[in-house]
Amino acid sequence: IGYYHICGVDPSVLSGTTFNDFQSVFSGAWGRITRAIETANKYGLGVLIDLHAAPGKQNNDAHAGTSEPAKFFSDKHSREQTTHVLCTLIKALHAHANSHNPPLANIIGVELLNEPAPSSDQDLQTWYISTIQAIRQIDSAIPLYIGECWRTDQYAEFAERNASLGPIVLDHHLYRCFTTSDISTPAHEHTRALSDPGASTPSMLTRVSEKVGRSGGGIIIGEWSGALNPGSLTGQSWEHAEYVKAQLELYERTCVGWFFWTYKKQWGGDTGWSLRDSVGGDVFPDRVGLRRTADIVKDEEGRKSRRDRVQKEALGT
């Protein structure tokens, strides 16, 4: 979501921002977000809320909210306003979850910033710490996810050093279709590089998963796809499917979760980027993970008790 999508909860999130004059445009968004959470809960789906567009823009890409240059890391007001936005979001999610009986239990966390591009890691990590501290005054238990700027080991060390802040989950995005190196690498080599436990990416994910796991956190692949550049393909029908299989096996083994980008596109037929088309084209399997063999007994009190116990053990409290 963008920060402007929660102005229906608190208009002050727009104060001093590019969207200050557009409350009437976005004020209805929050109701749509909460209905989506409710629908997901009905079908047993967890929801991770990701702040994709922050005041001042956290990176120079258009998906950070505007076509303007990013100023998040050079503008104190933008950073402080984003902390305010996230605190407002946490309060609103908590209130909405507890407005149901029993409370909604499918909000699995909040990601503070999508793909931040900081002037320095110290600048970002300083903001992470102050913002997480502010959020923990509101909700001490909700898992918080952070973008790691594709410097995963460094941010794993950050999470380990700051275990007292509560559960921190690293979000790593993985694509192999954009760079010059990606384009010149054959599909089978991309697949091998993700299948070989001793290769760079599997080694990194195993190493980081163990490190952040010791402090009660984890790592997710917050974005990935089956897409490969035409320069990597030889026309074999199995290339995309083997590439997807290698990723699934790696992420299931080393990560606490993953998110395929994206569910569907405007036009059909793209088995690299559209999950629906990928499943329909036998590129993506129609089932991943465990199969339910019996009805699940809902035990909200037991679930909360187990969650609290695991958290206390992880934090040593």
Side-chain angles (χ1 to χ4, degrees), residues 12-310:
S12 70
V13 299
L14 302 180
S15 178
T17 73
T18 305
F19 288 83
N20 191 57
D21 298 329
F22 299 100
Q23 180 187 348
S24 61
V25 177
F26 294 99
S27 59
W30 182 248
R32 291 170 171 81
I33 292 169
T34 54
R35 285 196 295 275
I37 293 171
E38 292 165 6
T39 301
N41 185 68
K42 178 181 177 181
Y43 292 100
L45 298 173
V47 176
L48 169 63
I49 304 293
D50 174 13
L51 189 63
H52 219 273
K57 294 187 64 178
Q58 73 277 15
N59 61 49
N60 277 312
D61 294 315
H63 58 60
T66 74
S67 57
E68 297 175 348
K71 64 175 184 178
F72 178 92
F73 292 101
S74 62
D75 180 51
K76 182 179 179 182
H77 175 265
S78 293
R79 297 192 300 276
E80 292 177 345
Q81 187 71 359
T82 303
T83 301
H84 169 56
V85 166
L86 288 163
C87 288
T88 301
L89 174 61
I90 294 290
K91 290 176 184 176
L93 289 172
H94 189 269
H96 182 70
N98 286 283
S99 68
H100 291 72
N101 187 20
L104 299 179
N106 68 319
I107 301 171
I108 64 172
V110 170
E111 179 150 1
L112 306 189
L113 283 178
N114 175 72
E115 296 185 352
S119 46
S120 73
D121 287 328
Q122 182 177 356
D123 287 347
L124 177 58
Q125 291 176 8
T126 297
W127 180 82
Y128 274 156
I129 290 172
S130 63
T131 299
I132 292 172
Q133 288 172 337
I135 290 173
R136 290 303 181 210
Q137 296 298 313
I138 302 166
D139 190 324
S140 61
I142 189 169
L144 298 177
Y145 296 63
I146 62 171
E148 36 72 283
C149 311
W150 292 280
R151 292 186 286 278
T152 318
D153 281 300
Q154 292 91 319
Y155 281 82
E157 293 172 1
F158 166 80
E160 188 176 43
R161 289 195 309 271
N162 292 281
S164 61
L165 295 174
I168 296 177
V169 182
L170 303 186
D171 175 15
H172 181 71
H173 295 179
L174 194 151
Y175 297 114
R176 294 292 183 264
C177 57
F178 292 125
T179 69
T180 302
S181 175
D182 290 340
I183 296 169
S184 63
T185 301
H188 69 89
E189 287 295 329
H190 283 306
T191 299
R192 185 202 61 78
L194 297 172
S195 304
D196 179 0
S200 175
T201 298
S203 295
M204 178 273 288
L205 289 176
T206 300
R207 180 174 64 248
V208 167
S209 178
E210 292 174 352
K211 176 170 287 190
V212 294
R214 289 194 295 267
S215 56
I219 182 169
I220 66 167
I221 305 300
E223 289 184 22
W224 68 281
S225 79
L228 290 167
N229 190 279
S232 296
L233 301 171
T234 62
Q236 301 296 319
S237 60
W238 47 263
E239 289 176 304
H240 275 110
E242 288 297 307
Y243 176 59
V244 166
K245 179 183 177 183
Q247 290 188 85
L248 282 171
E249 290 179 350
L250 174 61
Y251 305 155
E252 287 283 299
R253 186 174 71 249
T254 59
C255 302
V256 296
W258 48 262
F259 295 80
F260 187 93
W261 188 279
T262 185
Y263 174 62
K264 65 177 181 178
K265 294 177 65 175
Q266 182 177 5
W267 309 113
D270 190 335
T271 57
W273 291 104
S274 167
L275 179 64
R276 281 175 40 155
D277 290 307
S278 185
V279 173
D282 295 324
V283 170
F284 196 103
D286 61 3
R287 180 179 293 271
V288 178
L290 301 176
R291 295 174 182 265
R292 192 173 81 178
T293 58
D295 289 337
I296 297 174
V297 177
K298 290 190 175 181
D299 178 14
E300 294 298 330
E301 288 300 319
R303 184 194 63 78
K304 185 177 184 300
S305 175
R306 290 190 294 274
R307 183 196 69 183
D308 292 345
R309 184 182 73 251
V310 170

